[in-house]
Amino acid sequence: MKSIRPLLEAPTYARARLQLGIGGVGTVVVMSILLLALGVPGTLFADRGGSFLADASLLAVWLVAAAVAVVPFEFLGGFVVPRAFGRRHPTGVVWATGWLRGVLVVTLWMCLAGALLVLAGRLGGRPAAVGVLGIVCLLMLMAQSLAAKLVGGIRAGEARLDELDEALGEGNDVPRIDVLAAQDEGFTGGIAGLPGGERLVLPLQWIGRFEADALALLVRRRAAILRNGLRAYGLLAAVAWTLATFALATVLPGAGVATVGALLTTSLWFTLLSFVGLLVLPTPSRAAARAADALTLADGSVDAAALASALSDLD
């Protein structure tokens, strides 16, 4: 209990979450380094697998072990810290049920994707595996909303948007809006779908919490992101980064794509390279956020002070 006391005594909820995130990331990075140094994947899964189902089963063992390893951080972030700071949170039973559901869905999906990567690597080498990963990324983009519902227990919410439509005005070019409900008050929705078929996702909790004019500003901001191609550029950069990082990870010591052990070693290297991305990518991300603000204000129909107020309330 003493080890988490500084976390619970943090000055703000945001600071507590930041400290928890740093601890979680640091733990995963250290674990990855140790597993690589000891050659654990290659030792555990040497000469095992070889068929799609066998590979998927071995991956399931690894993924379940990984989920168990990080469950303390999941529990602290999803239950303990929100409760300590008076934020909305589920009961312990509801949290545990949701966590199990999420782990099952993610494990199933990653087992299938991982087994496909190994199969592709076995048949066509690294280029084939990178190609399959590209297809996996595409499928994930297509199924963003479905994945959120399955993993996070997010559901469709019923809400009247008459006041929002009135605030947006006639002839607005806002895409279709989906309203989803989540227990986590940190859910902010976003933009889902492939370029050209995107939908704006609004949390049900925002309807009624924000004034219609403020909510309209947030919607216009997301519409501006789509209209000016920022999301398409962001998706392209994200997928390119993922594929390039994976390709680099496959050629590092012990890594590969033709066996489960080699793929898991690749995944550990991928985790370490992703940590580098965690340090580098916030800079262009912040620049993109500022660009989105500027685009929202570009036509002069949105007041800068009103947008700043809406974003502040959202934060």
Side-chain angles (χ1 to χ4, degrees):
M1 189 68 180
K2 290 182 179 180
S3 61
I4 67 170
R5 184 170 298 169
L7 187 68
L8 302 181
E9 294 176 350
T12 64
Y13 178 62
R15 177 63 60 177
R17 288 184 60 86
L18 176 62
Q19 292 176 359
L20 179 61
I22 292 173
V25 170
T27 299
V28 171
V29 168
V30 171
M31 289 174 59
S32 297
I33 293 173
L34 289 176
L35 291 170
L36 282 170
L38 297 174
V40 172
T43 302
L44 286 180
F45 301 108
D47 301 323
R48 296 186 179 182
S51 68
F52 183 87
L53 290 179
D55 291 342
S57 299
L58 294 175
L59 289 168
V61 173
W62 181 271
L63 291 167
V64 169
V68 172
V70 298
V71 70
F73 297 100
E74 302 275 8
F75 183 62
L76 287 171
F79 180 75
V80 175
V81 171
R83 184 178 65 173
F85 284 84
R87 298 301 181 104
R88 190 176 60 187
H89 62 280
T91 65
V93 173
V94 171
W95 179 87
T97 302
W99 182 83
L100 286 171
R101 180 192 60 245
V103 168
L104 288 174
V105 173
V106 171
T107 297
L108 176 61
W109 170 248
M110 294 187 71
C111 285
L112 294 176
L116 282 174
L117 287 173
V118 174
L119 178 61
R122 193 176 294 128
L123 297 177
R126 289 183 174 86
V130 173
V132 167
L133 181 59
I135 295 173
V136 169
C137 290
L138 182 64
L139 293 174
M140 292 176 68
L141 287 172
M142 294 173 62
Q144 274 183 291
S145 292
L146 176 61
K149 293 174 182 177
L150 293 176
V151 175
I154 296 172
R155 66 187 189 281
E158 296 183 4
R160 294 183 60 86
L161 300 178
D162 298 348
E163 293 185 3
L164 174 60
D165 291 337
E166 183 177 345
L168 288 171
E170 295 290 338
N172 67 76
D173 57 352
V174 172
R176 174 176 171 178
I177 295 176
D178 290 341
V179 178
L180 299 182
Q183 290 186 340
D184 184 357
E185 67 178 27
F187 175 65
T188 60
I191 302 171
L194 293 173
E198 298 97 341
R199 296 181 179 183
L200 300 187
V201 178
L202 291 182
L204 179 62
Q205 292 86 342
W206 286 12
I207 312 299
R209 174 185 171 189
F210 291 102
E211 295 291 337
D213 289 341
L215 188 58
L217 290 178
L218 298 174
V219 170
R220 285 197 183 102
R221 185 176 184 275
R222 292 182 177 179
I225 290 171
L226 287 177
R227 185 171 58 251
N228 291 276
L230 286 186
R231 181 173 185 266
Y233 293 138
L235 289 179
L236 180 62
V239 172
W241 179 280
T242 300
L243 297 181
T245 302
F246 177 77
L248 175 59
T250 63
V251 300
L252 294 176
V257 290
T259 65
V260 170
L263 180 66
L264 291 177
T265 301
T266 295
S267 76
L268 294 175
W269 282 115
F270 185 91
T271 297
L272 298 183
L273 294 173
S274 296
F275 176 67
V276 176
L278 187 63
L279 302 176
V280 173
L281 294 179
T283 297
S285 178
R286 285 192 292 269
R290 288 193 292 268
D293 294 339
L295 289 171
T296 306
L297 302 172
D299 62 3
S301 62
V302 175
D303 179 70
L307 178 62
S309 177
L311 293 175
S312 178
D313 290 343
L314 172 60
D315 183 62

